[in-house]
Amino acid sequence: MLLWMLVSMANYMKRFVFISIFGLVLGYNGHLAPALAQDSKHLALDSPFDSFVEDDFPFFSQTLDARNLVGDWPKDNLSPRAVIMQLGGGYYAAFDIDLLRVALVWKANEKGEYLTMNGMAAGSYRLPNQKAAAGQTILPTPIGNIVNSGTLNPGWIKEGGDWSDKRERKGADKEEPGLGPGAGLRWLGMSPTKHGVVLKYEVFGVPIEEKWEGGKRVIEVSPHDSTLSVKLSAGGIHTFPPSKEVSGYAVSMVDGGEFPRPTFPVLDCRSIETKLVKSEAQNGFRIEEVGLPIPNPFKRNVRLSAFGFLRNGDAVVATFDGDVWKVSGLSGDLSLISWRRIGSGLHEPLGLEVVDDEIYVFTRNGIVRLHDRDGDRVIDWYENFSSVVPQTAETREFANDIFAKPGGGFYLAKGGQVSSTKGVANGTVVEVSQDGQSYKIISTGLRMPYIGVDPKSGLIAASDQQGNWKPTTPIHIIRPGEDYGFQPEKYKDKAVHTLPIVEPEIWIPHFVNQSGASLIWLRDGKMGVLNDSLIHIGYNRPEIFKVFFDRDGEKVIQGAVASVAHKFASGLLKGKVHPVDGSLWLTGFKIWGTSAEQISGLYRVTPTLGPVWVPADLRSEKRGVLLSFHQPVDVPIAGNWESYSVDRWNYVRSHNYGSGHYKLNGDPGQDSLPVASVKISKDGKSVFLGIPDMKPCHSLRVTYKVPTSTEARVANAFFTVHQLRSIDLKAVGFEDDNVLLELSAEMLTQAEKIEPSADLGKETATKFGCMVCHAAGENVPLATASFGTQVAVGPAWNGLWNSKRNFSDGTELKNVDEVYLRESILDPARKVAVGFEMEKTGVGMPSYLGVLKNYEIDSLVMFIKTLQKVKPKKK
């Protein structure tokens, strides 16, 4: 029999109401400290989308910062993982899923505002270039009248326990509250209902169900043997004695008693039809783009962040804004594609896996498994598969990536940038057990990792992104216990590396791939010559690369990359193989730092019948490099040493952001290497370049004319050479193993002479992606977003020459000149313009010392001189 113990403690209720009224009457006004009421500004933006928060959906997931409330409220109340519920009557409640506590109850202000929109997803929802501030100082905060505020302690204890937080710190900074689930507490998930949301969790193994009705918190406790106590916020506690039956309790959590329960409609799942919008052949592959469901009846933005395929070929996609869509028609001629929104309310999802047709979404709140239990095609049970991996409120600790582990469980990749306190798992690759109840950190020292798991061997590859202690973009083979060197910028040169830094198998130059994203093995693909290849996804310049590994036995020791295709309209983050036709699908979205014009896109890549000049194999050797192709080369092109250019350089790993290029003797710049001879294999498909003075180096670039008379273009292969290996050329198809390494007289006298010019400067700026971060010749000046956060991440070049410049160190330059411009290119951290500090933009400019040749630097300066200050267009 259900025992309802409705509120009978009259004295407690008097105290409860008195506390609430006290705050309203005696000058506290229950109000927050002066807040940046960004919600109204958010809604005022010119946008085709409604508010980030949906009025007709009962919950959404978000970080909530209630540490700075005016009045006698707790000052430690920060919830990295919260479910925010709409209670009706203008009231809202935040439930902390780690500590199973009511973090806050409050009422919207007279304008209906109740939360600042400065989470990463929320702030960029209607303004795609909006960038949330790094760290934990500017987070979503409540707006309106505070009714109840909790403390940063467990919401439940059992007999003999106390209310102290007993979570292990495991290396997290002492001030960091994001330590994962409380001891003995387990979040199970939630179900949206007609009148709100049902929360389910376990307290010391006892299942508990909780819902809110008209401002009243209603709790049902399953039969239990020990006394359990729940904290009701504002100091109130209720105790459940041992019971063999379900125990119930209800208490009003708002001022003024109860109010009518809200009514929420079932999520609208009507279908929206789109079709193929673009098709283009490139380098032996066809790239097709399908239309996104924009506009839609819900006026929701659709920024695709992750996806997976069901067995029948339908896709399930997540958006960064917390929605989940099911997509059918992704095969054949793509003439009719159907989109249905099936879920909402997730916390910045960036990963999604489908395992045995079950949907797992990786969010900041953990791994959520989605269920449609009643068959109405809408998710009605958001199960917490696993939230055991701790999550801080740091805006850059993204839930970057998830891959199913062969045999069960998952691998996760978590963002590592830290601008305030460090948590347990920032910048790590993590293994989650098959039941979701335990985890172990495999590797550390990553800045912004994305991963790819080989379903055949279980090998984990990870990319990362340039930053502090990260000279450029790496690709790692992840091995247990290894550390890859990243330390947050806040430590500067005081960073302590407790483990030896393991070098990556491959370095990719920053100007080639400025932001590495996920990797995908094409084991089950039908991608022609790319079958079984590892594909790396580049975000900044949306591009996909083929990765080549050089092995010593089974161990990968070094490798190379070459571009496959780059004509994508939006940034790329994720890739999957279609389970029915074996095609490669790609998606991603834009917040900042990409040269792509579109906000998001979904693409299919398939092979054409034409030749593919992506290399079949790339390997370095002590006498040169091997380039193999999938068909015979054109000998007059491939056999001519003038068809090749080779240079090499090293990087310097330091606390500075990125690295310039350095010759092997330590001087800035790059070593040019001559090609002494060209050798072609008997089948005509492989070329060996004889290169004198081969030595280990971080980057060896081979620029070559594509070896066919039907295409007049240049391609690049980028090698990392850790070891000088030996290849028996005769054994791999050449006539013999002889390699000529002596230079001819013509080779010795050839030299490059190029005169700098403004036009060449513009070409250089485009080639190296400078204008992704710097406005140069745009119609309007660079805009500034709220809180001083920049829409772009570097000062505008428009009108820069001879202008005044203020720097973050307090100094000033009255006239920008050539000396300053050259210094900014070669040593950008020396003088940082006010408003563009790394803690505000979240990204720094790397040194181009040695990356740009002298004539390119001179040309850039000449180009910047020509850029006049532009005026805003008149409305």
Side-chain angles (χ1 to χ4, degrees), residues 478-733:
I478 299 296
R479 299 182 181 93
E482 292 187 343
D483 182 87
Y484 303 114
F486 173 71
Q487 292 278 356
E489 193 272 341
K490 68 174 186 171
Y491 298 139
K492 301 187 184 300
D493 58 348
K494 307 301 182 186
V496 176
H497 297 273
T498 58
L499 294 172
I501 299 173
V502 178
E503 293 296 295
E505 280 66 27
I506 301 173
W507 289 111
I508 306 176
H510 188 254
F511 63 85
V512 175
N513 181 11
Q514 295 184 22
S515 295
S518 291
L519 302 107
I520 179 72
W521 256 279
L522 301 182
R523 294 298 191 193
D524 298 320
K526 297 178 181 177
M527 292 295 295
V529 298
L530 290 184
N531 284 346
D532 287 323
S533 298
L534 175 61
I535 299 298
H536 170 56
I537 298 171
Y539 169 79
N540 181 279
R541 179 182 186 243
E543 187 167 6
I544 56 175
F545 302 87
K546 182 177 177 180
V547 180
F548 303 83
F549 286 137
D550 190 358
R551 300 172 184 264
D552 184 359
E554 291 299 315
K555 184 179 180 180
V556 176
I557 58 169
Q558 57 196 20
V561 298
S563 177
V564 176
H566 64 268
K567 292 184 179 179
F568 300 92
S570 65
L572 299 178
L573 290 170
K574 302 295 171 70
K576 296 284 185 182
V577 173
H578 194 287
V580 177
D581 64 20
S583 57
L584 173 62
W585 284 82
L586 302 163
T587 195
F589 70 99
K590 172 183 181 179
I591 292 185
W592 73 90
T594 173
S595 60
E597 296 180 357
Q598 285 183 194
I599 302 303
S600 190
L602 181 61
Y603 311 92
R604 180 172 71 177
V605 181
T606 53
T608 66
L609 297 178
V612 177
W613 287 105
V614 176
D617 192 14
L618 295 173
R619 277 186 284 167
S620 59
E621 205 256 6
K622 62 183 180 181
R623 298 168 296 176
V625 295
L626 175 70
L627 289 75
S628 297
F629 299 93
H630 296 284
Q631 55 275 321
V633 300
D634 190 317
V635 174
I637 297 173
N640 185 352
W641 63 270
E642 291 185 306
S643 295
Y644 306 92
S645 174
V646 181
D647 57 347
R648 69 183 174 202
W649 59 91
N650 282 338
Y651 304 104
V652 172
R653 191 192 290 270
S654 73
H655 68 278
N656 293 320
Y657 191 99
S659 170
H661 292 186
Y662 294 86
K663 298 178 181 180
L664 269 59
N665 66 5
D667 293 340
Q670 295 151 205
D671 292 309
S672 294
L673 298 178
V675 175
S677 61
V678 180
K679 193 178 184 75
I680 297 177
S681 63
K682 290 186 289 184
D683 65 2
K685 295 182 180 181
S686 295
V687 177
F688 189 86
L689 306 183
I691 302 173
D693 196 32
M694 282 288 290
K695 292 179 179 178
C697 62
H698 292 151
S699 284
L700 177 81
R701 172 173 55 182
V702 177
T703 303
Y704 61 94
K705 291 181 180 179
V706 174
T708 174
S709 58
T710 61
E711 295 186 45
R713 63 183 179 90
V714 171
N716 290 279
F718 296 92
F719 298 79
T720 292
V721 185
H722 291 307
Q723 297 181 17
L724 293 178
R725 309 267 288 158
S726 295
I727 300 175
D728 184 344
L729 295 181
K730 188 173 182 179
V732 295

Side-chain angles (χ1 to χ4, degrees), residues 109 219 232 394 448 508 548 651 768 791 851:
N109 67 13
I219 302 171
L232 300 170
E394 165 65 60
M448 200 55 63
I508 306 176
F548 303 83
Y651 304 104
F768 285 89
V791 172
V851 179

Side-chain angles (χ1 to χ4, degrees), residues 308-316 354-358 578-581:
F309 285 106
L310 301 170
R311 291 191 186 101
N312 66 0
D314 288 349
V316 181
V354 177
V355 180
D356 295 332
D357 272 2
E358 289 192 322
H578 194 287
V580 177
D581 64 20

